[in-house]
Amino acid sequence: EATPRVRVGIGRPPAGVDVAAWVLSRPVSEEDTLLAAACDRAADGIECLVAEGAERAMNRINQRESRHGGSPL
């Protein structure tokens, strides 16, 4: 529990799809952009974690998108 971790949400599976199959499946091509953005945001969070500590990183990463439409980072 003391080890920081990065979690990336993948949404919920469609009705009738097994959760394990959903988690382990390849993303559809339409999700590539979202996945790339999530990876970039996770990397930014790790950099913030190292530079500024866990609390600051969590506060920055877990904010909703800023009012100007971009990431809070």
Side-chain angles (χ1 to χ4, degrees), residues 4-51:
R5 61 185 173 161
V6 175
R7 295 171 55 179
V8 177
I10 61 166
R12 300 211 182 270
V17 175
D18 177 62
V19 173
W22 173 256
V23 169
L24 298 173
S25 66
R26 289 194 176 273
V28 296
S29 61
E30 295 84 28
E31 295 172 325
D32 285 342
T33 302
L34 295 172
L35 184 56
C39 288
D40 288 344
R41 190 171 169 97
D44 290 343
I46 292 168
E47 289 176 3
C48 184
L49 171 70
V50 171

Side-chain angles (χ1 to χ4, degrees), residues 41 48 53-64 72-73:
R41 190 171 169 97
C48 184
E55 185 173 348
R56 178 74 175 139
M58 288 187 295
N59 286 337
R60 290 179 71 185
I61 292 299
N62 292 327
Q63 290 178 1
R64 298 233 182 249
L73 289 175

